[in-house]
Amino acid sequence: MRVRSSFFASFCLVLEVLSVALFLRGFFPVPVKSSYSSKSKLSDLPAEPFTGSSPNLSKVPDPLFKRVVIVLIDALREDFVFGPNGRKYMPYTRHLVERGSTHSFVAKARPPTVTMPRIKALTTGSIPGFIDVVMNLNSPALLEDNLIWQAKTAGKRMVFYGDDTWVKLFPKHFMEYDGTTSFFVSDYTEVDNNVTRHLDSTLKRDDWDLLILHYLGLDHIGHISGPHSSLIQPKLMEMDDILKKIHGSLILKETEGALPYLLVLCGDHGMSETGSHGGSSAHEVNTPLVLISPAFKRKVGMEKPPTVEQVDLTPTLALGLGLPISQNSVGRLIQPVVEEASLRDQLRFLHLNGHQLSCLLKDSMPAYEKEEGYEQFRVAEKSHGNWLKLVVEGNTSEVLNNMGKKVLKQYLEALRVMSAALSKQMGKYDMYSMVVGVVLVFQLLLLLLLAMPEALSGASEVDLPVSSALLSLPFYLLCLLLFSVHMLVCTSAESACYFCSLPWGLVFGAVALSSALLCILVSMAARKGTKPPGKSPSRASGGGWSLSELDILLLAGTAGHTLSLAASSFVEEEHQVWYFLLNTLCLVVFQDVCRKYFRERSANIGVIGCSEDEDCLPPSKEGYAVASPLTDFGVTGADSERWLALATPLLTLACCRLLRSLNQTGVQWVHLPDLGHWLNSSEHKTVLSLLAAMSLALIYFLVQRRCSWVSKIALALGLLGVYSYRAAVGNVMLPWQHSGGNMSKGTMKARFVYVFILGIFFTGSKDLLRSQVITADARLKSRGLWEIYSGVVLLVALLFRAHNLPVLCCCLLVQSLMAQFIWKKLHYDAAQTTIMHYWFGQAFFYFQGNSNSIATVDISVGFVGLESYVEAPAVFLTALSTYAGPLLWASHLICYLSSENRSSVAVGHGCYCLALLRSVPAAAYVVLVTALRYHLFIWSVFSPKLLYESMHTLLTAAICLFFTTMEQSRSSSRP
Amino acid sequence: MWGEEIRHMASSHAIMASGVFMATVVPAVLVPGFSVYGTHLLWQYSVAGVVAVVNISLFWLLGVSPPTKKHTITYKVSRLVRSCLYLLLSCLFFHTVVVLYGAPLLESALETFSLAVLLTSLTTLRCVCVLGPNVQAWIRVFSRHGAMSVWDTSLQMVVGCSVVGAWLGAFPIPLDWDRPWQVWPVSCSLGGVIGYLTGLVVAPAWIHWHRKHLTYKSK
């Protein structure tokens, strides 16, 4: 079966996306969840274990605390309180820790150390999987069983002030709330004042039971200037004063005989040395946890705080408030908190906690009875019952007390083991699905590689032996074999497996696909082997093995980049690799240009090295008589063209250097000052405005050249709309708008731009359709493509932040210069051009400030032109703006390749190369992640990159499909 | 073919390589507290100086550089001035390229410039010595099939190896190993020098190996 190479490439890439999706499903462990969707109820609580006949024992334990205040300070690092600077930063808290009736702990947060999953962990007690972060960039209501829901059901009145993530997670749970948004990272005073302003009135009142305060300022300071900034101390002193105020008023309110209060100071996550968070370094994971209550014993001096898990707070608070522990909690009671209670109560609390954990264990593990912790819990429960019987009988001897202590120890040990077993359950990978995904991805990659000579040939067609493979005996045997293997694996697997739970039809499809691919691969390889080896498997640059420096660089760079993904530092600093390669590419291109023009001149002169002076002879002009006249830049004459061609790579280099200092990204050097921060600070607003206006003007100038006049007008108005939108949002200023006070969302203005974007897309697709259906006009089609391209540019201009507009501008500038003077003039073939486009696209991905960590995804883009969060457009816009660089370069590639009249197969070659370029790193990375799945940085470094890679593959698949449709029209219109 | 020239080249390369070693060892003995990482600038300049002196004297003795047409004093002086000018320009060129590659613009400009000086002494200086201050000839040698003698071929290889070495030397910088040689610009200058030494070894060996197949256009 002969298929066109573009169709072949898109087909492979689409299948690859599906296999990568399967791999992802296996790789990201599904969080441990109880199978019941209901929530724990007070009535479901087990009775106290009692040997013998059961008298009416108290079912519900009494609460320990009347009121609880939780002060959650975002990014509060453990050493801010307990470290050597703690006395300076938070004097009052430190005093309480050392002398007051408090318990202090270091609470370990689990990565990902991002606010939303941490809040979920604190309230549900479960450990949200990494995938939770991605699935919930916007936080919809938390449906799982959680502390807040339990408290509300129990009739507790709750008040919340702070990060509005809470309000979104728990809608209608709070009696009173005021959410502050965390999108404006540069603001660190107002966010906290918005919380504190409610404090006085709330503390005076008596109508609440649980007060939660979530302060964001510290986190924002960390993001701006890191943990050693001079802003940290005043902020922590402010937090200390707030704690002092709350504590003071709680003491005043305290009445004799009533239950005591509990004041909790905690952080959701820490802060790395650069001030960011999300990873798993000690500074990001360790947070302080200070519990203050008159119920505790007074401390006599500073002790080293013991370590607990962050999720341990959930059962502790639940039991302290007399609530059932939420179902999915894997935390265990912090025993010192209850140590002042009677031994019977203590045992009762531990029993409740143990019961909840054992229920969760039953749900999540098939072989729970063999679990060590479960057995220990059963033993402890039994001895608890015996002990209780003796107590009820009125036995009060020292021996009984010791026996009770022993039961306590048994319980604690059982809790520890069960909790550990449950946490370990989260780290389990679904290896079978992963392996199936990897195998499919690799078969597809091999298929792409084996088809390379044919796909890049002049005919641009691939001969796939599909029918012979499908009718051969080995295919059926393989199908049977793989299917039986599947049955075997699925019936013997003890843990849940996604691939096994798929419907039979899908599984059969995958099995058939895999065996068909294997047969095709074998027969293609055999065909290759029998062919005479004369045909060059390399790209069709003149035949033979003659590789120019450029080819060597392009191949070595692609291979080197793929290899570099194995090192976590290179994944973190991937932008450095791309910048480096891009620079080298520009220099090699420069060398090519030099060679072309200087050698040509030398040939014209006919004398080599006639003089020692460079410009001894006037450049001869005969050699350039065939050069096409320049129309766009108002330059005529071959001489100036030569100089422009020579200047293009240098200008590109200069642009790249400027852009790389615009947004510092990565991990190691992210704290260095960059132009982006400088521009965004309020005193440089004028510069930013000027820069944005100039960039927009230049964008218009560069894009409008090839569009119809309708699109030109739409583009101009759209770009004006972009500026006024930025002015409305408050990023830039208009000369006539001096009061910078009123910041609106600019929804109307953004929608105004959207209308123009849609208009441009409409005219573009109309041209494309006409060129396809009615007339086979190549010019019309080219114009349609350029219009689509300009629509993409306008959309990106709207979505990019104001300081990123120069990135877009430089992107367009480099594209038009390179197309004009380099790619056309030096006759680079489609494959070389595609690889260069891909490299540029990757570099621009990082120029715009992206990195390989989830934290740099700019979610606020999802709100451009929308009043509230709507999932589908928000996700689409965020993805689009994140991948703007690769997308722009890919769309330029298709415009460039199809406007080129000389080769009709260029689009097919480009599509094939793009697919191959994407498959190589994706396939390598999938294997790598499988091999490194127990690496220390797997969650902080490698998995975000995996998500980026899969998303990029998806995007490339979409682009390749577009390529295919474009080529289809060409081939159908040409015969 | 060219047996004698290859022998000359091998011995001169051996002297150059030993010069680099001496430039590392002698200051280590004489200067207290000298180390390649710690006092990196000193090491860079000592290597650059020694390479320069050895190159100039060796090539002058061997008489490889093209014969001058005129023998007037003014002509010689102008050649000398032009050579110096080219060397300076080459320093600035390397500095610019290194900055374009991402070296900080103002911070540690001295380190960057020293790297440029070192690279100039490893590459451009040899060009000046072999080809004279003649940009046309440089362009000819560095374009494909441009070599006209074994010295041109060796020049291509040594310069290429040095530049590629310095290029490869940048790769360890982003790794988070916190080693002293990852500090800017230690790894790059080390890479450059190692590449230079490799070039010195490889060039005569390669020419010796391929001496049957080497053909050069006559001048």
Side-chain angles (χ1 to χ4, degrees), chain A residues 547-549 553 567-570 572-573 576-577 580-581 583-584 587 591 595 598-599 601-602 608-614 653-654 657 660 668-669 937, chain B residues 69 75 79 82 86 97 99-105 107 133-137 139-140 142-145 148 167-168 170-177 217:
Chain A
L547 291 173
S548 68
E549 286 94 337
L553 173 72
S568 64
S569 310
F570 277 129
E572 283 173 342
E573 308 285 332
Q576 305 273 9
V577 177
F580 200 73
L581 287 177
N583 263 312
T584 314
L587 286 177
Q591 185 225 12
R595 182 180 288 163
F598 283 116
R599 290 288 281 181
R601 193 178 63 162
S602 308
I608 294 172
C610 71
S611 155
E612 291 170 5
D613 200 344
E614 200 181 350
L653 277 172
R657 184 65 183 89
R660 81 184 273 158
Q668 281 192 49
W669 293 281
F937 295 148
Chain B
K69 287 168 231 155
Y75 181 72
R79 263 176 73 95
R82 244 197 345 256
Y86 284 166
V97 168
V99 167
L100 285 176
Y101 263 103
L105 188 63
E107 248 176 278
N134 178 348
V135 176
Q136 281 292 323
I139 291 172
R140 166 182 59 80
F142 288 106
S143 44
R144 203 175 294 170
H145 312 302
M148 286 192 192
W167 187 78
L168 288 176
F171 274 95
I173 296 178
L175 293 170
D176 56 356
W177 298 342
K217 280 184 275 181

Side-chain angles (χ1 to χ4, degrees), chain A residues 221-243:
Chain A
I221 291 177
H223 283 299
I224 297 168
S225 52
H228 304 295
S229 121
S230 55
L231 298 169
I232 292 277
Q233 186 174 1
K235 178 51 76 182
L236 285 172
M237 303 264 278
E238 181 194 334
M239 294 294 123
D240 195 46
D241 282 342
I242 287 162
L243 199 86

